[in-house]
Amino acid sequence: VVTTVLDRPQAGAATTTTSQVQGRVKLFNRICTGVLIAFALLWLVPLAWALDTSLKPNAETVKTTWAIDNPTFAAFRNTLQNTDILKWYGASIITSTLTALLTIVTASMAAYALSRMRFRFKNAIFWFVLAGIMIPGQVLIVPQFREFSSVNLLNTFWAVILPQVPTAIAVFIFKQFFDGLPKDLEEAARIDGAGSFRIFRTVILPLTRPAVAAVAIFTFVFTWNNLLWPLLVLTNPDLMTIPVGLATVQGSFGIRYADTMASAILGALPLVAVFLLFQRHIVEGIAGTGLKG
Amino acid sequence: MSSTQMIPRQTADAAATRQRRPAIMHEGRTATWFLLPFVALYLLFVIGPALYGLVMSFTNASLVKGGLNGFAGLANYREALQSSDFWSSLWHTMWFTILTTPPLIVLALVLALLADRVRRGRWFFRLAFFAPYILPSAVIALIWMFIYTPAIGLADAAMNKIGITAPNWLGSEKFAMISLAVTTVWWTLGFNFVLYVAGLQEIPRELYEASAIDGAGPWQQIRTITIPLLSRTTTLVAVLQVIASLKVFDQMYIMTSGGPNFATRSILEYIYDEGFTNFRVGYASALSMLFFVVVLIVSVGWFAIVRRQEKEL
C-alpha cells in the first residue's frame, strides 16, 4: 500500500529508474537465494553423511561413496546391544529434567521477590546474584569436585544436577518478565485474601509461560549437552549421560564406522526431537536474551 | 451494593498497613522464603566454590590427600606464569579463538543478510544452520572424526576431487587446530545466525523503501543502512563468541585429546590435566583463577563498549 501511494506522483522520468532498480533488486534476490541454498545444503552434508553411513554394513563404510548397496539397521542394533546407550538416555533424561524443573522453581521465586517485594538489602542481593553471570561454571570445577567428593556424592545424579541449578541468568530473565507484568493482578487477589505463595502460584506463574518455556528448554538442552562436569563426577558407566557415555566409548568402536555413526545418530535423536517441537521457543529465546552455554 | 463499598475500605486498610513498619518486616519475611532456595544453592555451588577455589590456589592442595596440605603463598601463580605449558595452552586457546571468531561473525552475518531477502522456506535455512548447534559435542565429534579419517574420510575424498593432496587433518600439529576450528564453525554458526536474523527484523522496512525511492541499490542499502544499524547485535555476537571460544574444551578432549604433541591443548584442558590427572588441585585452582581473569577482562570490555554505544544512541 505504501509503495503504490508513493509511486503514483512520480510519473514520467522517475518510473524508468524505479523499474530499473526493481529489476536489479529481483536479480540480486535471486542470486541471494541461490547462494543461501548452496550454503544450507553444504551445512547438511555432515549430518546426511552420518545417516548415510549408519545405514551401511560396517565392512562397506571404507568405500567413500553415498551409494548404499546393502541397506541395513545392523549398526543401530549393534549400538543398542553393545553399549549402555539406553541407560545413558535414562541418566540424561533424569538429570536434564530435574535440573530444568529445579531451576524454574528456584529462579522464578527469587526473581518474584526481587521484582515485587520490598525488603532490606534488595539491591545488594540483586547485584550479588547478577555477579554470578560473570563467573563461568568451568572455573569452578576443581573446588566443586572436592566439595562433592567430601560429602560422598560423586557418581550420583545430584552431583550432576545441583551445581547446574543456580544460574543467575535465569533469575535475570524471570525478573525482567515480572517487571513487565501489571501490578493490579496481585492487588485484586490480595484483596480476596490470598497469601503471597498462592498469588505467585495461581496468578503470576500461569502468566509467565513464555519465560518458563525459554528457561526450561535452555536449561534442559545445556544440561543434556554438558560434557566437562558430568565427565568428572560420573565414572560409573551405569550412570553416565549421553555425551559422557559417547565420549568414553568412542575409542572402542575402532573401524566399525557404521556403528560409530549409528551411536552418533542415536545420541542426536532426542535433541532433534526437542528442536523440531520447540523451534520457535528456542529461536525466540536466543534472540530475546542472547543465552549461550 | 455492600460489596462495592467494602472494596475501597479494604484497599485503604491494606495501604495503611503496608506503610507501617511491621508490614515491611512481614514482606521481608515472605521475601526471605522466596529467595532462600535459590540463594542457598547459589551460595553452596557458586559463591562457596569460588571462594574455596581462591583459597586453594594459595595452597599445595592435592586430590589424593585431604585438607589444604599447607600454605603455598603465591608459588602456584609464580609457577603458572613461568610455565611454558601454561603459556602454550593459553596461546592455543587464543589461536582457536582467532581461527573461529571472524568466520563465525562474518559468515553468520552474510547468511543472515541473504536469508533476510528470501521470503519462502525460512524454516529450511533455520533447520540447516541451527540444528547442529543444539546437538551434543560428543555427537559432533564422532561425526567429524569420521569425516577427517585419513584415506576413507569425506574430507579426503572432497580434497582429492579438486586435485589437492589432503593433509592429515587431526594428526598433524599444523592442521589439527584448523580442523577443530572448521568443525566448530559448522557446529555453532547457527547461534550467531539466529541472533543476526533477529537483529535484522528490528530494522524498520520504511528505511529500505525510502532509500529505494532515492535510487539506492541493494548493496548500497546493506552498506549504509543494515550494517550500521546492526552494530549492537555485532557487539553482542562478538563478545559471546570470544567468551565461548575461550572456554573451548569438548572438541579437543574428544577429537584430539589435546594432541598431537599437545598442539591443541586448551587452557581448560590444561586445568583438567593438572587437577584431575596430576591431582594438583591447588595449582589447578590458581590456573582457574588466571583463566577467570581473562574472561572477566573480555566481559568488562564488552560492558564498556555497550555503555558507549547506548550513549551514542
Side-chain angles (χ1 to χ4, degrees):
Chain A
V1 182
V2 180
T3 44
T4 50
V5 172
L6 287 170
D7 275 346
R8 223 167 255 159
Q10 302 181 322
T15 38
T16 51
T17 50
T18 42
S19 73
Q20 268 179 349
V21 167
Q22 273 168 358
R24 261 196 296 160
V25 169
K26 217 170 243 172
L27 180 70
F28 188 76
N29 282 352
R30 209 161 290 159
I31 295 170
C32 286
T33 313
V35 175
L36 192 63
I37 290 173
F39 264 102
L41 292 177
L42 183 69
W43 236 249
L44 287 172
V45 163
L47 293 177
W49 181 240
L51 188 63
D52 185 279
T53 306
S54 72
L55 296 171
K56 294 176 179 171
N58 277 313
E60 285 174 26
T61 55
V62 290
K63 285 184 290 177
T64 316
T65 165
W66 288 91
I68 308 171
D69 295 332
N70 303 297
T72 170
F73 285 114
F76 288 93
R77 247 193 329 268
N78 290 344
T79 305
L80 290 169
Q81 278 167 6
N82 301 340
T83 68
D84 289 322
I85 197 162
L86 292 176
K87 284 180 187 164
W88 304 338
Y89 274 137
S92 281
I93 290 169
I94 292 171
T95 52
S96 306
T97 310
L98 273 177
T99 307
L101 208 69
L102 287 170
T103 303
I104 288 166
V105 172
T106 57
S108 68
M109 280 170 64
Y112 184 65
L114 290 169
S115 168
R116 284 298 207 270
M117 296 177 193
R118 291 177 306 162
F119 51 90
R120 266 195 287 177
F121 308 121
K122 182 168 146 175
N123 272 331
I125 293 173
F126 179 62
W127 282 106
F128 177 65
V129 170
L130 212 58
I133 294 177
M134 292 289 209
I135 306 174
Q138 291 87 343
V139 164
L140 303 175
I141 51 169
V142 176
Q144 280 176 342
F145 183 85
R146 277 206 128 191
E147 194 179 10
F148 278 94
S149 98
S150 72
V151 288
N152 287 322
L153 278 177
L154 294 180
N155 274 314
T156 65
F157 288 151
W158 292 116
V160 179
I161 295 164
L162 289 173
Q164 301 196 81
V165 171
T167 32
I169 189 95
V171 176
F172 190 66
I173 290 167
F174 277 119
K175 184 181 177 298
Q176 272 193 318
F177 194 88
F178 293 144
D179 286 346
L181 290 179
K183 290 194 173 146
D184 330 0
L185 300 160
E186 289 134 296
E187 295 296 326
R190 207 173 290 278
I191 289 157
D192 291 342
S196 295
F197 275 101
R198 235 187 72 198
I199 293 174
F200 177 66
R201 213 164 37 87
T202 59
V203 180
I204 300 297
L205 270 190
L207 295 171
T208 318
R209 225 174 270 159
V212 169
V215 173
I217 295 164
F218 277 93
T219 315
F220 185 90
V221 171
F222 289 151
T223 312
W224 188 290
N225 288 351
N226 195 353
L227 174 71
L228 177 56
W229 178 246
L231 181 74
L232 288 171
V233 295
L234 300 176
T235 48
N236 178 349
D238 287 345
L239 298 174
M240 285 177 177
T241 58
I242 292 266
V244 180
L246 287 179
T248 310
V249 303
Q250 49 109 351
S252 66
F253 283 115
I255 56 162
R256 286 178 286 132
Y257 296 114
D259 292 6
T260 316
M261 289 306 104
S263 71
I265 300 276
L266 288 173
L269 273 186
L271 285 173
V272 172
V274 167
F275 176 68
L276 292 177
L277 281 173
F278 301 109
Q279 237 201 99
R280 178 159 299 167
H281 282 292
I282 293 170
V283 170
E284 281 171 6
I286 288 181
T289 57
L291 277 170
K292 188 158 190 171
Chain B
M1 274 307 277
S2 62
S3 64
T4 46
Q5 275 176 333
M6 285 293 283
I7 290 166
R9 191 163 359 122
Q10 275 199 353
T11 23
D13 283 353
T17 43
R18 234 178 292 128
Q19 249 137 47
R20 266 183 274 133
R21 214 178 141 63
I24 292 175
M25 295 281 284
H26 178 72
E27 209 168 40
R29 211 174 303 148
T30 319
T32 309
W33 287 114
F34 271 88
L35 284 165
L36 190 68
F38 182 87
V39 172
L41 291 173
Y42 184 64
L43 287 172
L44 267 173
F45 301 115
V46 179
I47 300 300
L51 296 175
Y52 185 37
L54 183 64
V55 171
M56 262 199 293
S57 73
F58 297 106
T59 70
N60 295 317
S62 155
L63 208 58
V64 283
K65 278 188 216 161
L68 293 172
N69 204 23
F71 186 65
L74 290 170
N76 289 327
Y77 289 93
R78 211 175 300 130
E79 185 185 339
L81 296 174
Q82 285 169 357
S83 147
S84 60
D85 286 345
F86 170 74
W87 290 109
S88 72
S89 67
L90 194 63
W91 163 244
H92 298 149
T93 312
M94 299 280 196
W95 178 226
F96 177 80
T97 308
I98 294 166
L99 283 173
T100 50
T101 305
L104 276 169
I105 295 173
V106 175
L107 201 55
L109 173 63
V110 169
L111 292 175
L113 284 171
L114 294 174
D116 198 46
R117 300 194 152 260
V118 177
R119 290 277 156 268
R120 273 179 303 168
R122 285 199 168 177
W123 66 270
F124 169 70
F125 300 115
R126 204 156 63 182
L127 178 82
F129 297 128
F130 190 75
Y133 175 73
I134 201 171
L135 300 180
S137 54
V139 168
I140 306 298
L142 290 181
I143 294 173
W144 280 85
M145 283 162 80
F146 178 49
I147 289 175
Y148 286 140
T149 308
I152 62 155
L154 202 57
D156 275 26
M159 284 288 141
N160 288 338
K161 205 157 257 176
I162 48 175
I164 301 172
T165 323
N168 190 345
W169 301 101
L170 294 171
S172 79
E173 286 184 38
K174 218 166 95 195
F175 276 95
M177 193 65 96
I178 296 169
S179 307
L180 291 175
V182 169
T183 300
T184 308
V185 169
W186 176 80
W187 180 26
T188 60
L189 179 102
F191 181 88
N192 296 350
F193 172 77
V194 163
L195 276 181
Y196 269 126
V197 167
L200 282 169
Q201 277 163 359
E202 278 173 23
I203 298 175
R205 297 280 141 185
E206 298 86 63
L207 284 178
Y208 294 115
E209 280 158 16
S211 77
I213 288 163
D214 292 342
W219 177 238
Q220 256 179 312
Q221 288 184 340
I222 288 170
R223 252 194 14 230
T224 57
I225 302 174
T226 319
I227 295 189
L229 285 178
L230 276 177
S231 65
R232 288 188 65 182
T233 310
T234 302
T235 320
L236 177 73
V237 167
V239 173
L240 290 178
Q241 189 52 57
V242 168
I243 292 178
S245 289
L246 290 175
K247 293 198 280 197
V248 67
F249 170 81
D250 298 14
Q251 297 94 304
M252 280 90 173
Y253 177 81
I254 307 174
M255 294 173 73
T256 62
S257 313
N261 193 22
F262 299 112
T264 59
R265 181 157 78 166
S266 70
I267 184 80
L268 265 184
E269 194 164 358
Y270 182 46
I271 295 174
Y272 176 93
D273 285 348
E274 288 294 342
F276 300 98
T277 312
N278 298 339
F279 305 133
R280 298 184 61 202
V281 288
Y283 182 58
S285 297
L287 294 174
S288 301
M289 290 298 149
L290 292 172
F291 173 59
F292 177 49
V293 170
V294 173
V295 175
L296 202 63
I297 289 170
V298 175
S299 312
V300 170
W302 173 46
F303 267 123
I305 294 170
V306 170
R307 268 273 165 84
R308 220 179 45 207
Q309 278 182 337
E310 272 171 1
K311 264 183 203 159
E312 279 168 10
L313 284 174

